[in-house]
Amino acid sequence: MPKSRTHPLLEPLIPAPKPGGRPAKVPRREIVNAILYVLKNGIQWRAMPHDLPHWSTVYHYFRKWQKEGVWEKVAQVLARWDREREGRYASPSALVMDSQSVKTSEKGGPGDTTGRRRSRGGNARS
Protein backbone atom coordinates (compact mmCIF):
# COMPACT_ATOMS: atom_id res chain seq x y z
CA MET A 1 0.00 0.00 0.00
CA PRO A 2 1.47 3.42 -0.96
CA LYS A 3 2.16 5.91 1.79
CA SER A 4 -0.58 8.50 1.99
CA ARG A 5 0.81 12.01 1.82
CA THR A 6 -0.57 15.42 2.57
CA HIS A 7 -1.02 18.13 -0.04
CA PRO A 8 2.36 19.40 -1.35
CA LEU A 9 1.70 22.88 0.07
CA LEU A 10 0.74 21.58 3.49
CA GLU A 11 3.14 18.66 3.86
CA PRO A 12 6.14 20.71 5.06
CA LEU A 13 3.93 22.52 7.60
CA ILE A 14 2.39 19.45 9.26
CA PRO A 15 4.75 18.16 11.95
CA ALA A 16 6.08 14.66 11.29
CA PRO A 17 5.85 11.99 13.99
CA LYS A 18 8.70 12.26 16.47
CA PRO A 19 11.55 9.84 15.78
CA GLY A 20 11.93 6.90 18.09
CA GLY A 21 9.20 5.46 20.23
CA ARG A 22 6.07 3.86 18.90
CA PRO A 23 5.27 4.40 15.22
CA ALA A 24 2.19 6.52 14.43
CA LYS A 25 -0.96 4.45 14.00
CA VAL A 26 -2.81 7.08 11.96
CA PRO A 27 -1.23 8.71 8.88
CA ARG A 28 -0.95 12.50 9.03
CA ARG A 29 -2.97 12.78 5.82
CA GLU A 30 -5.95 11.08 7.49
CA ILE A 31 -5.71 13.41 10.47
CA VAL A 32 -5.61 16.51 8.26
CA ASN A 33 -8.53 15.20 6.16
CA ALA A 34 -10.58 14.60 9.31
CA ILE A 35 -9.82 18.08 10.69
CA LEU A 36 -10.80 19.67 7.39
CA TYR A 37 -14.01 17.59 7.33
CA VAL A 38 -15.03 18.82 10.80
CA LEU A 39 -14.25 22.45 9.96
CA LYS A 40 -15.92 22.37 6.55
CA ASN A 41 -19.12 20.74 7.78
CA GLY A 42 -19.33 22.52 11.14
CA ILE A 43 -19.97 19.31 13.05
CA GLN A 44 -19.01 18.37 16.57
CA TRP A 45 -15.84 16.37 17.02
CA ARG A 46 -17.78 13.40 18.42
CA ALA A 47 -20.07 13.41 15.36
CA MET A 48 -17.28 12.55 12.92
CA PRO A 49 -18.05 9.65 10.56
CA HIS A 50 -16.61 6.30 11.61
CA ASP A 51 -14.55 5.93 8.43
CA LEU A 52 -12.32 8.77 9.70
CA PRO A 53 -9.85 8.33 12.58
CA HIS A 54 -11.30 8.38 16.10
CA TRP A 55 -12.49 11.85 17.05
CA SER A 56 -10.29 12.08 20.16
CA THR A 57 -7.14 11.40 18.10
CA VAL A 58 -8.11 14.04 15.55
CA TYR A 59 -9.02 16.58 18.23
CA HIS A 60 -5.74 15.91 20.06
CA TYR A 61 -3.69 16.76 16.96
CA PHE A 62 -5.90 19.75 16.09
CA ARG A 63 -5.31 21.32 19.53
CA LYS A 64 -1.61 20.37 19.61
CA TRP A 65 -0.98 21.92 16.21
CA GLN A 66 -3.10 24.94 17.13
CA LYS A 67 -0.91 25.60 20.18
CA GLU A 68 2.23 25.16 18.05
CA GLY A 69 0.99 27.74 15.52
CA VAL A 70 0.67 25.25 12.66
CA TRP A 71 -2.76 26.50 11.54
CA GLU A 72 -1.55 30.11 11.44
CA LYS A 73 1.30 29.06 9.13
CA VAL A 74 -1.10 27.01 6.99
CA ALA A 75 -3.41 30.03 6.62
CA GLN A 76 -0.50 32.26 5.58
CA VAL A 77 0.80 29.76 3.00
CA LEU A 78 -2.66 29.21 1.52
CA ALA A 79 -3.29 32.97 1.33
CA ARG A 80 0.01 33.48 -0.52
CA TRP A 81 -0.72 30.56 -2.83
CA ASP A 82 -4.20 31.92 -3.61
CA ARG A 83 -2.84 35.41 -4.38
CA GLU A 84 -0.22 33.95 -6.73
CA ARG A 85 -2.84 31.74 -8.38
CA GLU A 86 -4.83 34.90 -9.15
CA GLY A 87 -1.75 36.54 -10.67
CA ARG A 88 -1.13 38.93 -7.77
CA TYR A 89 1.93 39.40 -5.58
CA ALA A 90 2.19 36.81 -2.79
CA SER A 91 2.18 39.51 -0.11
CA PRO A 92 -0.12 42.51 -0.29
CA SER A 93 1.72 45.79 -0.74
CA ALA A 94 -0.98 48.00 0.80
CA LEU A 95 -3.81 47.79 3.28
CA VAL A 96 -6.96 49.89 3.15
CA MET A 97 -9.01 50.42 6.28
CA ASP A 98 -12.12 52.51 6.60
CA SER A 99 -14.68 53.20 9.29
CA GLN A 100 -16.70 50.18 8.19
CA SER A 101 -13.69 47.88 8.70
CA VAL A 102 -12.60 49.16 12.10
CA LYS A 103 -15.05 48.75 14.94
CA THR A 104 -15.06 51.44 17.61
CA SER A 105 -16.02 50.99 21.24
CA GLU A 106 -19.62 50.26 22.03
CA LYS A 107 -21.80 53.18 23.14
CA GLY A 108 -22.91 53.11 26.75
CA GLY A 109 -20.03 50.94 27.96
CA PRO A 110 -17.75 51.71 30.90
CA GLY A 111 -15.78 54.23 28.83
CA ASP A 112 -18.82 56.08 27.48
CA THR A 113 -18.04 59.81 27.33
CA THR A 114 -21.18 61.01 25.57
CA GLY A 115 -22.55 62.61 28.76
CA ARG A 116 -25.94 60.92 28.36
CA ARG A 117 -27.76 59.74 31.46
CA ARG A 118 -30.78 57.56 31.69
CA SER A 119 -33.77 58.98 33.53
CA ARG A 120 -34.63 57.25 36.79
CA GLY A 121 -38.32 57.17 36.03
CA GLY A 122 -38.20 55.00 32.92
CA ASN A 123 -40.70 56.68 30.57
CA ALA A 124 -41.15 59.75 32.76
CA ARG A 125 -41.45 63.06 30.92
CA SER A 126 -39.61 65.99 32.40
Side-chain angles (χ1 to χ4, degrees), residues 25-69:
K25 291 181 181 178
V26 181
R28 294 295 198 247
R29 174 71 182 240
E30 291 298 315
I31 294 169
V32 171
N33 286 345
I35 291 170
L36 294 176
Y37 181 87
V38 169
L39 297 177
K40 178 181 177 187
N41 293 295
I43 63 170
Q44 296 178 355
W45 292 102
R46 291 178 185 252
M48 287 175 45
H50 295 291
D51 59 338
L52 293 174
H54 193 267
W55 73 268
S56 62
T57 302
V58 176
Y59 182 71
H60 165 77
Y61 282 102
F62 174 78
R63 290 288 293 153
K64 181 178 190 296
W65 294 342
Q66 184 179 41
K67 290 175 184 176
E68 294 172 0

